Amino acid sequence: MAEPRTAAFVRHDQLPPSPPPAAETGVIKWLRENLFSSVLNSVLTLAALYCIYALLSGFLPWFFNGVWDAESVRDCNEQMGENRGGCFAAIEATWRQMVFGIYPNDIYWRPVTAFVLLWVAFAPVLFQAVPRKLLYFTLLYPFLAYWLVWGGTVLIPVLALLGLVVGYVVYSRLVDQSFAMGFLGGVLAAAIFWWLSGFITSNAGDVLALREVATRNIGGFMLNMILGVVCVSLSLPLGIVLALGRQSSMPIIKWICVIFIEFVRGVPLITLLFVANVVLAYFLPPGTNFDLILRVIIMITMFAGAYIAEVIRGGLAALPRGQYEAADSLGLDYAQSMRLIILPQALKISIPGIVNVAVGLFKDTTLVSVISMFDLVGIIRGPILASTEWNGVYWEVFGFAACLFFIICYGISQYSQWLERQLATDRR
Amino acid sequence: MAMTENAPETPADMKVSDEVAIEIQGMNKWYGAFHVLRDIDLTVYRGERIVICGPSGSGKSTLIRCINALEEHQKGSINVDGTVLSSDIKNIDRVRSEVGMVFQHFNLFPHLTILENCTLAPIWVRKTPKREAEETAMHFLEKVKIPEQADKYPGQLSGGQQQRVAIARSLCMKPRIMLFDEPTSALDPEMISEVLDTMIELAEEGMTMLCVTHEMGFARKVANRVIFMDAGQIVEQNEPEEFFNNPQSDRTKLFLSQILGH
């Protein structure tokens, strides 16, 4: 107590910010810190190095001793002699089948054009910087792609598109009176238009006709791409509608959505595909030719839509209630507050989950090989491996298939990470 | 409502008209079986600045949230600016676009810039052309003294700045009534005054305001009526001077001694 102390302290000058101490750098230090920081870590490092060595010592000779030019497996083995190597000639000989299925050789340009245009159509959806006008092309693209891949008269996609336009016009005329009236009127108008246009296509069906390609000839990776792109594009809006419906305060809408989601999620995709293949035919009027690809698309879309709905529901639940209240308090109606405030944020939160479903869905399209469609896996397991020339070249052709899927899936994943960084406005 | 007639007594000689802005009669609300608001009768005149205080759980936030139908009342009537609040969605949207609300946690839209936060409702609800909405927004951002932040995102601003943006966002709808739900409770102490200054400025311009707040300095300075609520009821209401210096009910005395004790 007696000790006099100087408790008061006043700082008059502020310390200038200084750079952090220069880190000791160098390879040795990095190695020691990251690979050999303890006995256990050193052992693990050595074990990992051995594993990498073992893998490469197996793979590299197999790869470099591979034969790229041969007539058949037997030819491959003769050329290799003592050395063990891959028979990559199989890929060389069959890649067209793997990519295009049994699509006629001379018109490969059509799916290739459709594939190139796919990126043009995707560009404005994926990247904000692309001119918005291009979105009109995106709207046209599905009809153009259908015409290119399936061929036939241009009237079918044109009339299909016109039907949508007619439906939309009727909808926008009636929607001022009530949404239900506009919606029903639009659907009815489109249906009548399509029914009438059925007569046109069956009577004057040769306008600007491309050679028709039957659905059973569409296969290979092209089929996986078609199913993947169409189903992802359709299941996202379906998932959004289901997720919002599940949150609805109207009990009937809510229960329809809940039952749909729970039922579809509780059934294996394979089962749905068998239903698409076999059972659905019983429910349709006899004589209707309901394309198998269309049936499969409907089933996969329902399946993925249910999963995406649950992912988006998670995003909706993660939003603070205050966001709903702020939107309400400004006088925004339900549609506006969902579109402008709630969904942009909920979807942003849901991106990793949605991409997860999309990648899974894209790979699941190979399941159609089970209902004897010749997608990439189907065509490898069927015609290619069963052929006398290439019987037994599993590694090479399945490796090729894996590469194709990996490129697309890795691309999707990289895009989604880029998108998340672009949209990260709240944690900057 | 005799006290509103005695306008000269109120601070800073701010005028209050005889025109009724909000009329609440016999309003009751339940959460399940819990009776949150009991027989609320309240008339608010245009230009009045009312501070509502009371212990937590007394229903004061619920009361002002009923005024713009964020909460539904089950009995009695609420008439806001001539529109009776019922379950009719069109009525509710009309009332909401005329009544601005500022929240405790700001509730700015984190995915939109400050300017977009302010122009969103005018553009979509009022159908104001974008250019005009942006001019209005900049006008109000200048008024709350942060025009330079217009292109930033809410996450980049301090709490006090965010709350001022929230006030500007409400003002952009040109509301006739403003509701404040504990606007300074979530702020760091050094940021409270900048928000209160903005609110005082607003009061001086004659805005009808209902503020749920514990800022008694603010109440003394701008309110012309203080309402004390407890257990879902209005226990006491008076002019600020009388309310603070001469509280009538025991419950009010206890509350005041607790918050003004230190």
Side-chain angles (χ1 to χ4, degrees):
Chain A
M1 264 321 242
E3 199 83 353
R5 287 178 301 178
T6 51
F9 170 77
V10 179
R11 187 188 280 286
H12 292 292
D13 50 341
Q14 201 166 12
L15 288 177
S18 57
E24 308 164 63
T25 48
V27 180
I28 305 282
K29 180 175 156 54
W30 184 86
L31 283 177
R32 190 183 296 152
E33 271 193 356
N34 294 292
L35 299 180
F36 301 101
S37 59
S38 71
V39 177
L40 179 63
N41 279 359
S42 307
V43 172
L44 288 176
T45 301
L46 291 176
L49 284 176
Y50 177 75
C51 285
I52 294 171
Y53 165 78
L55 271 176
L56 287 182
S57 66
F59 175 77
L60 290 178
W62 177 77
F63 187 76
F64 285 108
N65 288 336
V67 176
W68 290 88
D69 189 16
E71 298 292 311
S72 65
V73 186
R74 201 171 301 118
D75 192 7
C76 267
N77 289 338
E78 277 166 18
Q79 287 190 37
M80 277 184 283
E82 290 294 293
N83 299 326
R84 300 285 298 138
C87 184
F88 299 112
I91 298 174
E92 175 87 32
T94 60
W95 71 268
R96 284 175 198 80
Q97 267 177 297
M98 286 196 272
V99 174
F100 294 103
I102 37 183
Y103 206 83
N105 301 15
D106 53 327
I107 48 173
Y108 278 170
W109 66 268
R110 276 162 43 181
V112 170
T113 314
F115 180 72
V116 172
L117 291 179
L118 173 69
W119 299 107
V120 181
F122 263 155
V125 180
L126 298 183
F127 303 103
Q128 200 69 44
V130 176
R132 299 289 89 192
K133 289 243 167 73
L134 211 53
L135 278 171
Y136 289 110
F137 178 74
T138 310
L139 289 179
L140 284 180
Y141 177 77
F143 304 95
L144 181 61
Y146 170 82
W147 185 53
L148 281 171
V149 173
W150 271 269
T153 168
V154 76
L155 281 178
I156 291 176
V158 166
L159 289 172
L161 179 62
L162 282 179
L164 285 186
V165 173
V166 167
Y168 178 76
V169 169
V170 172
Y171 164 79
S172 56
R173 283 282 160 80
L174 293 179
V175 76
D176 286 340
Q177 297 173 33
S178 85
F179 175 78
M181 188 144 159
F183 184 76
L184 289 179
V187 170
L188 201 65
I192 292 173
F193 184 88
W194 283 325
W195 181 67
L196 290 177
S197 59
F199 296 110
I200 304 178
T201 47
S202 56
N203 291 328
D206 263 0
V207 186
L208 270 177
L210 287 175
R211 172 143 56 103
E212 260 185 76
V213 179
T215 285
R216 63 176 178 280
N217 291 342
I218 291 169
F221 193 59
M222 184 171 78
L223 179 59
N224 296 109
M225 282 295 288
I226 293 173
L227 292 176
V229 169
V230 174
C231 294
V232 170
S233 319
L234 293 179
S235 61
L236 192 58
L238 177 67
I240 292 174
V241 169
L242 286 173
L244 292 180
R246 193 168 185 167
Q247 280 209 325
S248 170
S249 53
M250 287 178 264
I252 293 180
I253 291 182
K254 179 176 173 164
W255 284 109
I256 289 176
C257 292
V258 170
I259 291 170
F260 180 91
I261 291 171
E262 295 302 336
F263 175 75
V264 172
R265 275 203 317 165
V267 175
L269 179 55
I270 291 262
T271 323
L272 291 179
L273 291 177
F274 276 119
V275 169
N277 190 20
V278 187
V279 188
L280 218 54
Y282 292 123
F283 296 111
L284 297 169
T288 37
N289 182 19
F290 204 50
D291 196 281
L292 179 59
I293 289 189
L294 189 56
R295 281 180 273 164
V296 166
I297 282 175
I298 291 172
M299 287 303 177
I300 300 182
T301 302
M302 277 167 44
F303 189 75
Y307 274 88
I308 288 182
E310 285 300 278
V311 171
I312 293 175
R313 188 166 72 102
L316 289 170
L319 276 195
R321 235 171 83 85
Q323 291 292 311
Y324 293 87
E325 290 178 352
D328 284 347
S329 76
L330 286 169
L332 297 171
D333 62 29
Y334 177 79
Q336 287 169 338
S337 67
M338 286 300 138
R339 192 158 72 83
L340 301 167
I341 308 298
I342 305 302
L343 281 178
Q345 297 185 64
L347 289 179
K348 185 167 83 180
I349 300 173
S350 319
I351 288 175
I354 293 175
V355 168
N356 202 15
V357 174
V359 167
L361 160 73
F362 182 56
K363 292 182 297 180
D364 281 352
T365 57
T366 54
L367 285 176
V368 298
S369 62
V370 177
I371 54 168
S372 55
M373 288 174 88
F374 288 120
D375 77 312
L376 180 50
V377 170
I379 210 148
I380 290 175
R381 289 203 318 161
I384 292 177
L385 287 182
S387 66
T388 43
E389 296 100 318
W390 307 113
N391 193 347
V393 282
Y394 292 94
W395 282 96
E396 295 81 351
V397 285
F398 276 119
F400 178 74
C403 286
L404 285 181
F405 274 102
F406 178 78
I407 290 170
I408 301 289
C409 294
Y410 186 69
I412 298 176
S413 131
Q414 287 299 302
Y415 170 76
S416 81
Q417 287 178 26
W418 175 84
L419 186 65
E420 274 180 68
R421 283 196 299 276
Q422 288 291 303
L423 296 177
T425 56
D426 45 352
R427 279 180 218 94
R428 240 185 261 165
Chain B
M1 288 289 148
M3 71 199 67
T4 48
E5 247 81 11
N6 304 341
E9 283 280 321
T10 61
D13 56 68
M14 290 176 274
K15 292 280 183 304
V16 175
S17 76
D18 311 336
E19 197 186 333
V20 174
I22 303 170
E23 175 119 54
I24 301 175
Q25 280 175 337
M27 192 254 280
N28 279 272
K29 175 171 177 60
W30 289 263
Y31 283 130
F34 178 59
H35 202 169
V36 229
L37 293 176
R38 307 175 191 180
D39 280 333
I40 304 286
D41 290 304
L42 178 64
T43 307
V44 180
Y45 294 90
R46 186 159 307 294
E48 253 200 307
R49 299 156 305 279
I50 294 177
V51 163
I52 304 171
C53 59
S56 69
S58 60
K60 51 196 192 307
S61 285
T62 312
L63 170 60
I64 67 166
R65 290 157 62 88
C66 281
I67 294 175
N68 68 350
L70 283 186
E71 305 279 357
E72 221 177 329
H73 62 281
Q74 279 96 30
K75 214 177 129 195
S77 76
I78 303 179
N79 185 327
V80 182
D81 234 4
T83 309
V84 178
L85 277 182
S86 55
S87 56
D88 185 349
I89 294 177
K90 289 235 165 73
N91 272 355
I92 291 179
D93 281 342
R94 186 178 327 135
V95 165
R96 281 172 178 169
S97 62
E98 298 298 333
V99 178
M101 178 139 191
V102 175
F103 298 87
Q104 181 178 6
H105 295 288
F106 332 135
N107 295 352
L108 294 178
F109 306 129
H111 62 302
L112 302 175
T113 64
I114 300 307
L115 189 63
E116 287 165 343
N117 263 281
C118 294
T119 55
L120 184 102
I123 290 175
W124 290 92
V125 179
R126 292 255 190 271
K127 314 288 178 205
T128 315
K130 190 171 179 230
R131 173 77 54 79
E132 197 184 317
E134 280 176 356
E135 277 167 16
T136 316
M138 286 313 292
H139 167 76
F140 284 113
L141 286 175
E142 265 160 39
K143 202 167 142 168
V144 301
K145 304 193 179 61
I146 32 176
E148 70 283 357
Q149 313 282 11
D151 294 324
K152 290 195 183 163
Y153 286 92
Q156 297 166 285
L157 269 56
S158 74
Q161 289 173 323
Q162 290 195 44
Q163 193 60 296
R164 283 184 283 153
V165 171
I167 295 174
R169 177 177 71 177
S170 293
L171 291 178
C172 284
M173 287 294 279
K174 310 267 174 66
R176 294 158 69 91
I177 298 162
M178 286 284 286
L179 308 174
F180 293 84
D181 188 2
E182 307 207 25
T184 55
S185 306
L187 294 175
D188 290 337
E190 50 187 351
M191 291 171 181
I192 290 178
S193 69
E194 63 186 55
V195 171
L196 289 182
D197 285 345
T198 310
M199 289 167 64
I200 291 170
E201 206 177 310
L202 204 57
E204 283 165 355
E205 286 169 15
M207 175 68 79
T208 312
M209 294 165 67
L210 274 85
C211 313
V212 173
T213 181
H214 294 133
E215 296 295 332
M216 291 306 146
F218 172 78
R220 277 176 191 274
K221 199 163 178 184
V222 300
N224 42 12
R225 188 158 27 138
V226 179
I227 292 177
F228 176 71
M229 286 185 72
D230 189 33
Q233 284 167 302
I234 295 180
V235 173
E236 187 165 344
Q237 47 177 320
N238 215 331
E239 291 156 27
E241 283 306 312
E242 278 294 296
F243 179 83
F244 288 113
N245 299 335
N246 190 16
Q248 301 297 312
S249 88
D250 294 340
R251 194 63 198 84
T252 316
K253 286 175 191 163
L254 179 64
F255 176 74
L256 285 177
S257 75
Q258 277 164 344
I259 62 164
L260 300 173
H262 326 258

